[in-house]
Amino acid sequence: MIRIRELSKRLGSKQVLKDCDLDIESGETIVVLGPSGTGKSVLLKHIIGLMHPDLGSIEIEGENIVGMSEREINQVRKRFGMLFQGSALFDSMTVGENVGLSLREHTRMTDAEIARRVSERLEWVGLKDVEGMKPASLSGGMRKRAGLARAIAMDPQFILYDEPTTGLDPIMSDVINQLIRDLQRRMGVTSIVVTHDLISAYHVADRLAMLHGGKIVFSGTPDQVRATTDPMVRQFIEGSSTGPIQPV
Amino acid sequence: MAAEDLALRGFEYIRRRAFDWVADVGRVAMLLGDVCRFLVPGLRSMRLVVAQMEAIGVGSLWLVFVISLFTGAVAAVQAAYQFSNVVPLKYIGSVILRSVIIELGPVLTALVVGGRVGASIAAELGTMSVTEQIDALRAMAINPVRYLVVPRVVAAIIMMPVLTIFADAIAVFGGYVVSVTSIGVSTHTYVSALKQYFYYKDLFSGLLKAGFFGGIIGLMGCYHGFSTEGGAEGVGQATTRAVVAACVLVLISDYVLANVLFRFIFAS
């Protein structure tokens, strides 16, 4: 379980997160919704310790990661996989080297074992015979899937998805949505998805949470979101430019 | 009033630049501390160091060859001009040799490699920074200093002396070609002067400086690459800053090292 309490973060003159509270149950897929620039990615980066909050706590299975040393937080990070918005594949490496990097760095697996695991994880995300290719030669959808294969290489307990369908065509977005569901079923992972893509959100979410003004203003199942009369949520799901949410 | 306002703005600008400079010095010192801290774990991945040695060393060979050949050639022409009616031309080999191995070899190699390698490191790490690849490394519990900075700095420290030896040899050869073909010095005279005035302390001091310059080039490339912000424009600015900082620091440290080496250590 992940428990976030009173998380606050200021970046320059902007208060991005302010007393943000969120509970994420083990095994669930939670989607954090919100307009662009509301701090969704910042929240995600706090959960994996890439950013440090000004105030508040983040407990991963009861362990507060705020204030941990780099060495301690690295032990926590090994239980996470993260798919970045632009995939963040390492340009200088092949796809196979990208997917196998964590295994090479953190396990005593042999080269043959790593190669087998890499092929298996690439196959899970629907990629075959791409191990020797450079990321630059992959399409956007393939890069996302390769990034996802890298995120699941170490059998993580938690997977973080930062805008997994941004920049993809509707068909490829659906492929990614299916993968998120499949991986949750297959690996039993806890998934946190940050997106403003409502189709994707309804497809993958057990629960949706809406971030606005630096805090979670609504949390509920997809059906509860569809039925809510909360003006902020309604404005967001209806895609209206008029309402309590002011376009930035 | 306008003059007062202008003075205030000028003072504010200087104050801000001074703060930025002090902050930069502090951050470079912290990065250097991290490099020392992660030196041993970083060296466990020798394949990363070897890959960087290849990129820095082998990749710079052709450039170093060209600048060294012409440096030696120009040194011969200049020496012949300045020797005319003052110093016998038989000393031309010794002047070229000593000026090359003490000063021209290490410094010119550092400036050229600093431009090429410093820019390359800053651009690569800068692009990694703005495309979240460095965040991805951290998310995978891999320390970026250990994985990216240590191999580059160590490879630069190792390869700069190697490139400098190569540059010294090519420059002396360039000087030889010009001396023999257009100045009228015989091969025997040139080589005799080389043998007579070769001192190991000169070679050692040149190589020591080269290693030091290598560390500066690697560290500046990594520091400015890591601190890149924004998109392509940020990468371009980081690359420029890395090259300028490396070249300026090479020249400043050359003066400091020259004083330490030739006024204290090798003074006698």
Side-chain angles (χ1 to χ4, degrees):
Chain A
M1 183 183 181
I2 299 175
R3 186 193 296 267
I4 297 167
R5 286 290 175 272
E6 296 178 357
L7 199 68
S8 296
K9 179 71 177 179
R10 175 181 284 274
L11 292 174
S13 60
K14 189 178 179 193
Q15 187 74 45
V16 182
L17 298 173
K18 192 172 190 311
D19 299 330
C20 180
D21 292 337
L22 181 64
D23 287 339
I24 301 159
E25 300 297 332
S26 295
E28 77 167 336
T29 299
I30 184 165
V31 172
V32 180
L33 283 170
S36 298
T38 47
K40 304 187 295 294
S41 297
V42 171
L43 176 66
L44 216 53
K45 286 184 177 177
H46 275 91
I47 293 173
I48 199 166
L50 294 178
M51 293 180 93
H52 304 290
D54 299 330
L55 288 168
S57 65
I58 303 164
E59 287 179 17
I60 313 286
E61 305 288 14
E63 213 178 354
N64 187 5
I65 65 165
V66 177
M68 273 186 175
S69 67
E70 193 72 8
R71 186 188 292 257
E72 289 169 327
I73 206 149
N74 273 342
Q75 295 308 313
V76 176
R77 284 175 182 153
K78 287 177 188 171
R79 287 146 61 190
F80 280 81
M82 182 163 179
L83 174 61
F84 284 82
Q85 189 170 349
S87 304
L89 293 171
F90 306 117
D91 302 322
S92 56
M93 299 180 193
T94 63
V95 172
E97 287 167 343
N98 264 281
V99 178
L101 182 61
S102 293
L103 302 168
R104 198 174 292 280
E105 289 290 317
H106 300 309
T107 71
R108 292 181 185 276
M109 290 169 79
T110 62
D111 287 350
E113 287 168 334
I114 291 173
R116 267 198 300 279
R117 174 77 70 89
V118 167
S119 294
E120 178 193 71
R121 296 304 147 106
L122 285 169
E123 209 173 308
W124 282 15
V125 298
L127 293 175
K128 265 193 155 185
D129 302 325
V130 296
E131 286 91 330
M133 293 170 76
K134 283 289 180 83
S137 58
L138 301 181
S139 68
M142 289 169 86
R143 287 172 71 93
K144 287 272 183 185
R145 285 184 283 165
L148 189 50
R150 185 177 71 183
I152 60 175
M154 288 274 287
D155 288 328
Q157 193 181 344
F158 307 94
I159 306 180
L160 311 181
Y161 300 87
D162 190 1
E163 305 278 8
T165 56
T166 296
L168 300 180
D169 64 70
I171 297 168
M172 188 49 67
S173 296
D174 193 53
V175 171
I176 299 291
N177 293 337
Q178 288 287 357
L179 276 173
I180 294 172
R181 292 311 291 179
D182 288 351
L183 289 175
Q184 200 236 352
R185 272 193 292 272
R186 194 197 287 253
M187 303 176 78
V189 290
T190 304
S191 303
I192 305 156
V193 184
V194 151
T195 187
H196 53 244
D197 175 356
L198 273 174
I199 299 171
S200 172
Y202 285 137
H203 195 113
V204 303
D206 294 320
R207 193 158 57 92
L208 295 120
M210 185 159 163
L211 185 68
H212 181 66
K215 55 178 71 176
I216 300 294
V217 292
F218 181 90
S219 171
T221 63
D223 287 337
Q224 287 172 325
V225 171
R226 285 189 189 97
T228 186
T229 54
D230 183 296
M232 267 193 267
V233 180
R234 290 242 57 89
Q235 183 192 351
F236 186 75
I237 62 177
E238 287 164 7
S240 170
S241 61
T242 53
I245 302 173
Q246 294 301 311
V248 182
Chain B
M1 186 65 190
E4 207 172 280
D5 190 43
L6 201 65
L8 271 175
R9 267 198 275 169
F11 176 75
E12 176 58 24
Y13 175 78
I14 292 167
R15 189 188 68 88
R16 209 169 43 235
R17 292 300 297 262
F19 274 154
D20 288 349
W21 186 80
V22 171
D24 268 342
V25 170
R27 284 192 285 260
V28 169
M30 283 169 69
L31 182 61
L32 182 62
D34 279 350
V35 169
C36 296
R37 195 154 61 96
F38 291 107
L39 190 61
V40 174
L43 290 178
R44 281 194 208 119
S45 304
M46 269 313 284
R47 63 188 174 84
L48 296 174
V49 180
V50 172
Q52 289 303 320
M53 284 168 66
E54 189 186 344
I56 293 169
V58 181
S60 303
L61 272 181
W62 177 239
L63 191 61
V64 171
F65 175 84
V66 173
I67 63 122
S68 305
L69 190 68
F70 284 95
T71 299
V74 169
V77 172
Q78 292 286 0
Y81 169 68
Q82 291 179 46
F83 280 12
S84 54
N85 302 326
V86 180
V87 181
L89 283 174
K90 67 177 184 177
Y91 293 115
I92 198 165
S94 67
V95 167
I96 292 171
L97 175 75
R98 295 196 74 183
S99 59
V100 161
I101 63 175
I102 293 172
E103 196 60 35
L104 293 176
V107 173
L108 287 181
T109 304
L111 292 177
V112 170
V113 173
R116 184 188 166 273
V117 173
S120 156
I121 292 175
E124 186 184 3
L125 298 192
T127 306
M128 289 184 75
S129 189
V130 298
T131 55
E132 295 187 306
Q133 292 177 49
I134 290 175
D135 274 350
L137 268 183
R138 293 174 64 209
M140 293 162 81
I142 298 170
N143 186 292
V145 173
R146 174 182 72 75
Y147 194 78
L148 296 172
V149 181
V150 170
R152 282 165 176 76
V153 172
V154 170
I157 290 172
I158 295 171
M159 289 316 290
M160 267 302 295
V162 175
L163 285 170
T164 300
I165 288 179
F166 176 71
D168 290 349
I170 298 298
V172 169
F173 173 72
Y176 162 76
V177 171
V178 171
S179 301
V180 171
T181 57
S182 68
I183 296 171
V185 175
S186 72
T187 300
H188 175 75
T189 306
Y190 189 86
V191 173
S192 296
L194 292 185
K195 284 180 181 167
Q196 196 178 346
Y197 292 98
F198 173 77
Y199 299 108
Y200 277 106
K201 65 179 184 181
D202 292 350
L203 182 66
F204 176 76
S205 64
L207 298 184
L208 190 76
K209 287 202 294 188
F212 198 84
F213 297 157
I216 288 173
I217 292 165
L219 202 64
M220 285 301 105
C222 292
Y223 170 70
H224 289 287
F226 266 30
S227 44
T228 303
E229 285 176 349
E233 191 188 3
V235 175
Q237 286 170 349
T239 306
T240 307
R241 280 199 302 268
V243 174
V244 171
C247 291
V248 169
L249 286 176
V250 161
L251 293 174
I252 293 172
S253 61
D254 184 41
Y255 170 73
V256 175
L257 285 172
N259 270 291
V260 172
L261 289 168
F262 300 110
R263 295 181 71 178
F264 297 107
I265 298 177
F266 299 134
S268 57

